[in-house]
Amino acid sequence: MPSKKARDVSLDQLGAMRALVRIVELGSFSAAARELKVATSTIARKITALEAMLGVPLLHRSTHHVALTEAGTLYHARAVSMIADLDDTLRVVAELDSAPSGPLKLTAPVAFGRRYLAPLVAPFLELYPAVQLDLRLTDNHNDMVMGGFDLDIHEGENYLDNLIVQPISRNDSILCAAPGYFARRGRPCRPADLINHNCLRYLHPEGDRRWHLSDGKAVQSVMPLGNLQSDHSELLLEATRAGLGIAEFEIWLIRDLLVSGELEVALPDYRLENALTGRQIYMAYLPNRRFSTKVRVLREFMAERLKGIGELPERMQTPALGANV
């Protein structure tokens, strides 16, 4: 139960909570006051009243610095979460009877964004013209909180802590080459045959240099050897299309080229195991954005149009590939 002293204090608790969060984030009472467009003395009174209500100091104050006390650290962490939930609730209620509108921030990998998201921007904004879409393409995982992102489309499972995820597609990787390469050099029948082929290798600072090939029953590992390696998948793709050799690609990057016959699968009974790219392509978002109307319509729009992009079309799958799902 609050003390009598705490009950006697008249306080705008939400206003004081917001003030404390801004003081901590901006580093001073004066900076928070400027942002909130009130006098510094007003901010100071709010914090003093909050501390009086709680019966504990929340901030260590000095002439040029403020720091959280132990109690302040606990209160601040809870306050950040509560304010985010409240703001999201207010947004959801405001959106109930209106069309999706306002800023909407999305992030995705560079090649994926250019190939799949760029053609979808105009159709989405034609459906929801009141939305202001901010699309950031990067191959580094963004901090969704710090970056203010509403939705993140990415491959792999190594960044999904504390996020809600919605799978879009399996994320299968295969070896492929141009028909002209196979005409000159023949086709490998099993992973061990790759030693006789020009293998174009993708480099990643955290990646395994070997190719790990699975037929759904066992995994065979080979060291690819060839005359080209690069840390840029689209560069390797151009070399592969030109008939230089066999390379590893995620299906979403080359799906249209496989369908057209410009590229062909090298070992159709095998898929590559890759810890970096993972087994799925996901959409991810913060828990406090789950009820946002504009996030929901973006998720539904993307899910419908991107479904299955990381998988071979059924007519191209062999029984062995189908078993390797």
Side-chain angles (χ1 to χ4, degrees), residues 179 241 254-264 315-316:
R241 293 173 69 183
I254 58 168
R255 198 172 194 267
D256 56 339
L257 301 176
L258 293 171
V259 171
S260 70
E262 187 172 344
L263 293 179
E264 297 178 356
R315 63 182 177 80
M316 298 183 65

Side-chain angles (χ1 to χ4, degrees), residues 92-148:
V92 170
V93 172
E95 292 172 357
L96 282 177
D97 294 324
S98 60
S101 63
L104 188 55
K105 198 169 182 181
L106 168 65
T107 182
V110 176
F112 186 94
R114 285 203 296 255
R115 188 168 292 261
Y116 288 103
L117 300 188
L120 297 178
V121 168
F124 178 77
L125 292 177
E126 286 173 4
L127 284 174
Y128 305 105
V131 169
Q132 291 97 50
L133 187 62
D134 183 346
L135 177 54
R136 305 294 179 94
L137 301 182
T138 175
D139 290 327
N140 298 315
H141 289 149
N142 278 305
D143 185 312
M144 294 192 69
V145 176
M146 295 300 294

Side-chain angles (χ1 to χ4, degrees), residues 40-248:
T40 302
S41 58
T42 300
I43 291 283
R45 284 196 299 271
K46 285 180 180 289
I47 300 305
T48 298
L50 179 61
E51 291 175 324
M53 186 197 77
L54 296 172
V56 293
L58 300 175
L59 293 170
H60 296 297
R61 299 162 173 83
S62 67
T63 304
H64 302 293
H65 182 66
V66 293
L68 289 166
T69 64
E70 181 179 357
T73 299
L74 176 62
Y75 184 90
H76 175 262
R78 298 292 182 90
V80 169
S81 176
M82 290 174 64
I83 289 171
D85 286 343
L86 175 61
D87 288 346
D88 189 56
T89 299
L90 295 175
R91 282 192 296 268
V92 170
V93 172
E95 292 172 357
L96 282 177
D97 294 324
S98 60
S101 63
L104 188 55
K105 198 169 182 181
L106 168 65
T107 182
V110 176
F112 186 94
R114 285 203 296 255
R115 188 168 292 261
Y116 288 103
L117 300 188
L120 297 178
V121 168
F124 178 77
L125 292 177
E126 286 173 4
L127 284 174
Y128 305 105
V131 169
Q132 291 97 50
L133 187 62
D134 183 346
L135 177 54
R136 305 294 179 94
L137 301 182
T138 175
D139 290 327
N140 298 315
H141 289 149
N142 278 305
D143 185 312
M144 294 192 69
V145 176
M146 295 300 294
F149 289 99
D150 295 292
L151 193 66
D152 182 353
I153 298 180
H154 256 96
E155 57 199 0
E157 294 77 30
N158 56 349
Y159 76 108
L160 299 173
D161 292 345
N162 303 317
L163 298 176
I164 298 175
V165 297
Q166 176 180 339
I168 299 174
S169 169
R170 292 201 318 270
N171 190 33
D172 297 332
S173 294
I174 57 173
L175 295 178
C176 67
Y181 174 84
F182 289 133
R184 295 193 316 272
R185 300 286 300 270
R187 293 176 180 271
C189 296
R190 57 188 186 278
D193 294 340
L194 291 170
I195 195 172
N196 299 315
H197 286 269
N198 193 37
C199 297
L200 316 181
R201 189 169 66 192
Y202 176 75
L203 298 176
H204 190 285
E206 300 175 11
D208 191 331
R209 289 178 173 268
R210 296 169 297 171
W211 285 343
H212 303 285
L213 294 130
S214 171
D215 63 358
K217 300 174 183 177
V219 176
Q220 299 182 51
S221 299
V222 298
M223 179 63 76
L225 300 174
N227 61 3
L228 177 64
Q229 60 183 17
S230 176
D231 63 353
H232 197 286
S233 60
E234 290 177 294
L235 182 152
L236 290 174
L237 178 55
E238 289 306 308
T240 306
R241 293 173 69 183
L244 184 61
I246 296 175
E248 169 193 1

